[in-house]
Amino acid sequence: MGILNCTPDSFSDGGHHFEPQKAVRRGSEMLGEGAAIVDIGGESTRPGASPVNATEELRRVIPVISALREAAPDAVISVDTSKTNVAVQAIEAGADIVNDVTAASEPGMIELVAEHGAAIVLMHMRGEPRTMQSDLTYRHVVAEVHGHLVDRAAAAVAAGIPRRRVWLDPGIGFGKNDDGNLALLAALPDLAAHGHPIVVGPSNKSFIGRLTGAPVEDRLPGTLGASIAVLGVDRAVVRVHDPAAAWQFFEIAGRIHEVSV
C-alpha cells in the first residue's frame, strides 16, 4: 500500500504531493513501482496534528482520487479518512477502501461502507492525533489492541461488510511506546488468526528513529526491518512511502521464507 499524503504537514512527506497534479503523478508512479493499493489522505495524523475540516479534506483528496481512477481504471484506491461525508464522496469518486485510523468511531461510517460495497481498514488509536502520545500505558498492549479491533470488526461484519473486506491495523506509532510497537509487530500472526486481512504501517515512524537514531528521511532500512513481521502472515499489507523498495525487499525476503518453511 503506497502512502500518498495530499497534505502540507504530514511527518514524512508533508507538502511533497500537495498539488493535485503532483499527487496523481506520484500515485501513478507508485502503481508502476509495485504498489497494490494507493492510499490517499488529506489530513495529517502525525502526533500533535491539528484536525482539518471536511471541506478542506475533500478539496485535497477528491480531485486526486478522480484523476487517478481515470488514469488507472483497474487500480485499487484507498482513502485515508475518518469522516463519513469525506468517505462517501471518495467512494463515489472511485475509492475502493476506507482507511479509518479511528476504527470507524464516527456514527454511520460502518453502515456507509457496507451500503456502498467498499472495504474498510479499522485501525487502533488511543485518543486522537493531538493527544494520542499523552498516555502510552497499557496493562497488556497486545491483548487490549487486538480486543478492541476484534470488537470493531464484529460490528462491521454485523452491519453487512463481508469479513474479507474488514481489515485490521494495530496502529503502529499511534499511542504506543517503543516496546508496545515491537510487541504488536511480533504479534501480527495472532491478529491475523482472527480471520481478517491485516494492514500494518511502520513506514518512517518515530520509533525507528528512537531505536536507531536515524532522521525521518533515513528510515527506509528500519521500515523494511519492521516489515519482516508480515512474512508468513496471510493477507497482510504493508503501508509504505517507498513501494519500489518494499516490493524489492518482499520479492527476495518472501522467496527466502518460502524456501525455509
Side-chain angles (χ1 to χ4, degrees), residues 149-210:
L149 291 176
V150 169
D151 287 346
R152 296 305 296 148
V157 172
I161 306 176
R163 290 182 67 85
R164 69 182 185 280
R165 291 181 175 269
V166 179
W167 303 19
L168 306 182
D169 182 342
I172 302 301
F174 285 79
K176 290 91 178 176
N177 61 23
D178 297 345
D179 288 341
N181 290 320
L182 295 174
L184 289 165
L185 286 168
L188 287 179
D190 296 329
L191 184 58
H194 291 285
H196 296 274
I198 301 301
V199 177
V200 62
S203 190
N204 297 349
K205 290 290 176 68
S206 296
F207 83 97
I208 297 173
R210 288 191 294 270

Side-chain angles (χ1 to χ4, degrees), residues 45-203:
T45 53
R46 62 178 172 78
S50 298
V52 172
N53 64 49
T55 300
E56 175 61 16
E57 191 175 343
L58 286 164
R59 187 190 69 80
R60 295 176 181 182
V61 300
I62 297 303
V64 179
I65 294 170
S66 298
L68 187 59
R69 171 57 67 214
E70 183 176 355
D74 297 327
V76 179
I77 298 174
S78 172
V79 60
D80 181 359
T81 188
S82 58
K83 300 181 181 70
T84 55
N85 52 346
V86 174
V88 68
Q89 293 188 53
I91 292 170
E92 291 171 350
D96 307 286
I97 304 167
V98 175
N99 182 11
D100 190 338
V101 298
T102 71
S105 65
E106 184 168 294
M109 178 66 85
I110 288 175
E111 292 76 13
L112 180 154
V113 172
E115 178 184 350
H116 286 80
I120 191 165
V121 179
L122 302 170
M123 196 197 80
H124 178 276
M125 175 174 60
R126 176 180 280 175
E128 58 184 23
R130 286 182 298 177
T131 63
M132 65 186 179
Q133 295 300 106
S134 61
D135 181 9
L136 307 180
T137 303
Y138 297 81
R139 293 187 63 186
H140 303 287
V141 62
V142 171
E144 291 177 47
V145 170
H146 288 193
H148 175 74
L149 291 176
V150 169
D151 287 346
R152 296 305 296 148
V157 172
I161 306 176
R163 290 182 67 85
R164 69 182 185 280
R165 291 181 175 269
V166 179
W167 303 19
L168 306 182
D169 182 342
I172 302 301
F174 285 79
K176 290 91 178 176
N177 61 23
D178 297 345
D179 288 341
N181 290 320
L182 295 174
L184 289 165
L185 286 168
L188 287 179
D190 296 329
L191 184 58
H194 291 285
H196 296 274
I198 301 301
V199 177
V200 62
S203 190

Side-chain angles (χ1 to χ4, degrees), residues 16-36:
H16 291 187
H17 313 117
F18 193 45
E19 298 177 11
Q21 289 183 334
K22 289 184 178 180
V24 174
R25 183 164 58 249
R26 179 57 186 147
S28 297
E29 289 173 353
M30 286 180 173
L31 293 169
E33 291 169 357

Side-chain angles (χ1 to χ4, degrees), residues 252-261:
I252 302 304
R255 288 176 182 248
I256 294 171
H257 178 77
E258 290 172 2
V259 172
S260 65
V261 294

